[in-house]
Amino acid sequence: RCFPFEVEHSDGLRLGATLNFLHDEGFVCKQRTVTGTVGVNPLVSLLPKLRDADLLVLDLRSVSNLTGADYLRFSLLCGAALYDAMKHLAVNGKASIDELRRLCPESASDGQPEKSTERKG
């Protein structure tokens, strides 16, 4: 299934969207109903990058080893409070939901950035 994306967070080569947008598009599970373990496919690179004190950019990428073609190139913009949890997931490849919640401060309950995520320039 293709990720819905926002034009203002996409540059032609890499698509992107905020967590709010994906939620509004029905692309995000309700957080209170999620239990169990989250895993990242080993063919997908997950790279969390702090843009500033409020914004985390989570880059998702998958490239064919055979052809070099991109299968996935997407940036998810969310609150910086999710950084430790996403770094843990990137390093370990999987984690329980409870484990990820423990790594997030209470203020990260919705995963949204504190301020505007509009691109400048």
Side-chain angles (χ1 to χ4, degrees):
R1 180 171 163 190
C2 294
F3 282 86
F5 65 92
E6 295 175 273
V7 174
E8 60 269 24
H9 298 299
S10 303
D11 64 9
L13 293 175
R14 181 183 304 274
L15 301 178
T18 62
L19 197 52
N20 266 340
F21 175 80
L22 294 178
H23 181 272
D24 292 347
E25 292 292 309
F27 208 76
V28 177
C29 297
K30 293 182 189 250
Q31 60 178 300
R32 301 286 182 229
T33 63
V34 177
T35 60
T37 300
V38 174
V40 178
N41 184 307
L43 299 176
V44 174
S45 166
L46 183 69
L47 179 62
K49 299 187 285 187
L50 286 171
R51 182 178 287 172
D52 58 36
D54 298 315
L55 185 63
L56 169 67
V57 178
L58 189 59
D59 279 331
L60 305 165
R61 187 160 184 209
S62 183
V63 177
S64 167
N65 287 335
L66 183 61
T67 66
D70 283 332
Y71 290 119
L72 173 65
R73 191 180 275 215
F74 191 85
S75 295
L76 175 61
L77 289 83
C78 50
L82 298 178
Y83 178 76
D84 288 337
M86 293 302 95
K87 185 175 178 185
H88 178 78
L89 186 58
V91 168
N92 295 292
K94 66 180 179 177
S96 73
I97 296 294
D98 289 338
E99 207 173 357
L100 295 175
R101 284 185 177 137
R102 280 192 297 274
L103 291 168
C104 293
E106 201 56 40
S107 63
S109 64
D110 66 356
Q112 302 305 326
E114 298 278 326
K115 63 182 183 178
S116 170
T117 59
E118 271 187 49
R119 285 192 175 197
K120 295 176 182 161

